[in-house]
Amino acid sequence: VRPFRDDLERQFHERGWELQDRLGLSWEDLDGLATGEMALGIVPYQREAVVALLADVSQSNELTQKVLAKVAESFKRVGGVRQVENVGRTTLTIYDIPADAKKKRPARQVAYFGKQGMLGMAERAAVARDLANRQATADQANLASLETYQAVQKRAASGNKLPVDLHWFVDPFGLADIGRSRVPKRQQSGRDPVKLAKGEGFDAVKGVGGVVSLSAGPYGSVHRTSIYAPPPHQRAMRMLVLPNGGKFTPEPWVPSDIGTFTTFHWDMQVGFDNFGTLFDALFGEGEEGVWPDVLESIRTDPNGPQLDVRQDRVAHLGQSLTLVT
């Protein structure tokens, strides 16, 4: 699992969501802490991306106390102010940590609680408070009740015969919207890629997720991923016509000493015919009809190739793509 864990840590670091900075926990602290299920999530709170953690620590009480003592000491060293409040029958410990000008870290907050063998932590007291309340109530307004989550997980699990070690789910545009709260304003210059993608209809992708099986027979891991993007699709999103089925066996010309092999099916002619609005958005500076002008120039310019791209090239493409490294 180490390569997976290291890559996950790298992704959190690149996005400014490091566990050590956000919750005071390192990945090493989590080793042995969770004795059952563990959940890690990025949740929205007042347009911010907040890291939250839930872990079954029912069989590691002594280690949990040591880890929390270590966390408390680390917060104390950086001037964190501790307060305690009761949420029903649950005790919530909150640390308000001042800004660090040298490390360019803003003021932050971490809160945690333990209840019925469950450890909950979050960057905001309000989020930790909500997690604690959900442990005591049958609130149905939860992730598992969402149609998008259900559709993604059902499709990913369909036909799977392996034990599942990890479930994951992302609302890509929801994450993108709140994720920008982690990016300093000075780094948000230029074209907004999220706004562009939405304008071209790619926000039809409502959810992405799946299941992962670790140590699955001869494989280090096996993952089954599904994307939920119900129609109707608009503008450039209509490029993504991916026919089901077909041949996936490597062609005879694919050598045996390769690094990667990927093959999939895509209706490239439909993709080409719906590419124009995306090209205009990327290179037309807001002007529509740039793509047809480019194609016409390629076809008729006496100093150009005088090639009808649609008829002379794209019309001859099939629906199978293979990428080899």
Side-chain angles (χ1 to χ4, degrees):
V1 186
R2 181 171 294 277
F4 172 81
R5 191 211 70 173
D6 291 345
D7 187 64
L8 188 65
E9 186 173 15
R10 175 189 61 78
Q11 293 184 52
F12 267 65
H13 177 75
E14 289 177 353
R15 290 162 174 77
W17 293 333
E18 306 94 323
L19 280 186
Q20 185 75 59
D21 289 343
R22 300 301 170 188
L23 298 179
L25 287 172
S26 67
W27 291 99
E28 286 71 24
D29 291 331
L30 292 177
D31 186 18
L33 192 65
T35 54
E37 290 188 353
M38 181 171 68
L40 183 65
I42 309 296
V43 298
Y45 173 71
Q46 295 184 351
R47 302 296 300 168
E48 282 190 279
V50 175
V51 175
L53 172 77
L54 279 172
D56 178 350
V57 295
S58 56
Q59 304 300 314
S60 58
N61 182 64
E62 184 176 346
L63 177 60
T64 301
Q65 297 307 314
K66 289 182 179 180
V67 169
L68 291 179
K70 176 184 174 183
V71 168
E73 183 60 30
S74 69
F75 291 154
K76 184 178 179 180
R77 285 197 301 270
V78 294
V81 178
R82 179 178 181 269
Q83 57 178 311
V84 176
E85 71 173 61
N86 293 321
V87 181
R89 297 182 179 180
T90 303
T91 300
L92 189 66
T93 302
I94 305 167
Y95 282 91
D96 289 296
I97 304 161
D100 188 329
K102 289 184 178 180
K103 295 184 178 180
K104 298 180 179 180
R105 291 178 182 169
R108 55 199 174 102
Q109 187 178 69
V110 176
Y112 64 84
F113 66 89
K115 183 174 184 179
Q116 297 177 344
M118 185 74 70
L119 172 65
M121 302 187 74
E123 290 185 274
R124 295 288 181 271
V127 175
R129 197 177 296 118
D130 182 55
L131 291 176
N133 284 328
R134 286 171 181 271
Q135 299 298 307
T137 62
D139 187 355
Q140 295 303 309
N142 53 38
L143 178 63
S145 69
L146 295 181
E147 177 187 356
T148 302
Y149 179 85
Q150 293 174 357
V152 165
Q153 292 295 325
K154 181 179 179 181
R155 182 62 180 269
S158 177
N160 180 46
K161 298 181 180 179
L162 297 170
V164 175
D165 298 298
L166 174 68
H167 293 262
W168 68 280
F169 174 81
V170 175
D171 170 0
F173 284 92
L175 181 62
D177 285 339
I178 63 173
R180 283 181 293 183
S181 69
R182 298 289 193 194
V183 181
K185 292 292 184 182
R186 63 180 181 277
Q187 297 179 19
Q188 296 185 26
S189 59
R191 183 186 287 111
D192 185 338
V194 177
K195 183 179 180 180
L196 188 150
K198 288 181 177 180
E200 288 303 308
F202 291 107
D203 55 350
V205 178
K206 304 301 182 184
V208 182
V211 296
V212 181
S213 301
L214 303 173
S215 299
Y219 306 106
S221 64
V222 174
H223 70 84
R224 301 172 68 88
T225 299
S226 62
I227 301 172
Y228 184 62
H233 298 158
Q234 306 295 327
R235 297 180 68 83
M237 178 64 188
R238 293 177 294 184
M239 294 172 57
L240 301 181
V241 176
L242 309 171
N244 289 326
K247 181 182 177 183
F248 292 99
T249 304
E251 296 288 349
W253 49 263
V254 178
S256 60
D257 58 343
I258 61 172
T260 67
F261 171 82
T262 303
T263 187
F264 61 97
H265 300 285
W266 177 36
D267 192 325
M268 288 175 274
Q269 296 185 30
V270 172
F272 181 86
D273 291 340
N274 288 282
F275 173 64
T277 59
L278 180 59
F279 183 91
D280 292 350
L282 289 171
F283 305 108
E285 298 182 355
E287 181 181 350
E288 295 188 358
V290 176
W291 176 237
D293 289 346
V294 170
L295 293 178
E296 181 65 13
S297 176
I298 293 173
R299 188 180 71 84
T300 62
D301 188 341
N303 297 315
Q306 298 184 13
L307 177 75
D308 188 320
V309 178
R310 180 66 174 81
Q311 296 300 320
D312 299 338
R313 288 295 182 268
V314 177
H316 299 285
L317 297 177
Q319 296 186 348
S320 178
L321 283 86
T322 296
L323 308 176
V324 177
T325 305

